[in-house]
Amino acid sequence: MYQNYRGLRTKLTIMNCNVAGFDNIFISLLKTWLTDGTFSNELGLFNYKVFICDRFSVTSFYNRGGGILIAICNDVLAQSLNISVGDFEQLFVKISYNAITYILCTVYFPPKATVDSYKFFISNLENFVMAFPECSFTVSIDFNLPSIDWSNDKNGLTYSISIGYHARCIFESFAYLNFFQLTEVKNDYGSVLDLVFSSKCDVIITRPDKYVIPEYCYYLTWFLKRFWDQFE
């Protein structure tokens, strides 16, 4: 499951109630707004290993916003991959179960992120793809880059952007790596803000029937159905 929150700190009671019955292989959350003053046991994810990247002074001058989390079911072998700290939040977690190995990545870029920030993330992603050729990759990400038309063909990702767009490295790299962009449904305002990329073309995402917290009107929640089926 992938969900963009816009803040968890005031919604922990709701979250604890909702996740008590979850049996998802993994949960990926963006814009948690958590800090180092929030402990993992406050989240109610008792059946999960929790990996967190909170916003702090190195990643932002602001004391709220941002923050990401990946939770992996305790039955699944999982390890966080080491990366250098940038001025945005990113997590790479390698999981293995039933002879299947995936690398899950969750990333949040703040508005007006620099080209160097995007290049730094792309460098990490490309390095991991080369270092783990046996792994399939799933990347859930909020680029804060609106007005981009995404589509796929049999060879991977295609895109349409304005001339002079400042973060072309993002699109060019995902296309070069033969990743597919899976989200197509627009939010209530006609935009696709939360993206899910995969190195496998047969990953199917659907709208879930349950949520960590109620959806915010700008962001949609996704359930990776085909991903889940492979672990059955």
Side-chain angles (χ1 to χ4, degrees), residues 149-210:
D149 292 324
W150 304 91
S151 59
N152 304 291
D153 60 25
K154 63 180 180 179
N155 297 315
L157 178 70
T158 62
Y159 55 91
S160 175
I161 59 176
S162 302
I163 295 175
Y165 213 95
H166 78 288
R168 284 181 175 271
C169 60
I170 288 286
F171 324 114
E172 292 171 352
S173 180
F174 275 105
Y176 171 75
L177 294 171
N178 293 324
F179 276 46
F180 297 83
Q181 203 291 112
L182 306 177
T183 56
E184 297 178 353
V185 180
K186 296 181 179 180
N187 63 16
D188 293 344
Y189 295 87
S191 299
V192 178
L193 297 179
D194 300 304
L195 306 173
V196 179
F197 295 87
S198 176
S199 60
K200 295 176 66 66
C201 63
D202 60 347
V203 174
I204 299 172
I205 64 172
T206 62
R207 302 279 283 123
D209 56 5
K210 53 188 177 181

Side-chain angles (χ1 to χ4, degrees), residues 24-40:
N24 303 62
I25 290 292
F26 79 94
I27 302 170
S28 176
L29 311 178
L30 274 78
K31 295 176 72 173
T32 60
W33 294 16
L34 299 177
T35 68
D36 57 7
T38 304
F39 300 99
S40 296

Side-chain angles (χ1 to χ4, degrees), residues 15-24 27 44-45 47-48 210:
M15 177 177 176
N16 273 256
C17 292
N18 289 349
V19 303
F22 274 20
D23 59 357
N24 303 62
I27 302 170
L45 297 167
N47 297 322
Y48 292 83
K210 53 188 177 181

Side-chain angles (χ1 to χ4, degrees), residues 67-136:
I68 57 176
L69 177 155
I70 296 177
I72 309 295
C73 179
N74 283 334
D75 294 334
V76 176
L77 182 65
Q79 67 175 108
S80 179
L81 301 180
N82 292 326
I83 49 177
S84 300
V85 175
D87 57 354
F88 58 97
E89 290 88 47
Q90 58 179 333
L91 284 171
F92 288 83
V93 177
K94 183 181 179 183
I95 67 174
S96 300
Y97 189 74
N98 285 349
I100 299 173
T101 305
Y102 259 89
I103 290 180
L104 304 176
C105 171
T106 297
V107 188
Y108 174 73
F109 286 93
K112 300 180 181 180
T114 66
V115 174
D116 287 342
S117 296
Y118 293 116
K119 288 182 177 179
F120 182 61
F121 161 68
I122 286 299
S123 176
N124 284 331
L125 177 62
E126 292 180 346
N127 287 340
F128 284 133
V129 169
M130 288 187 292
F132 300 100
E134 75 283 4
C135 294
S136 297

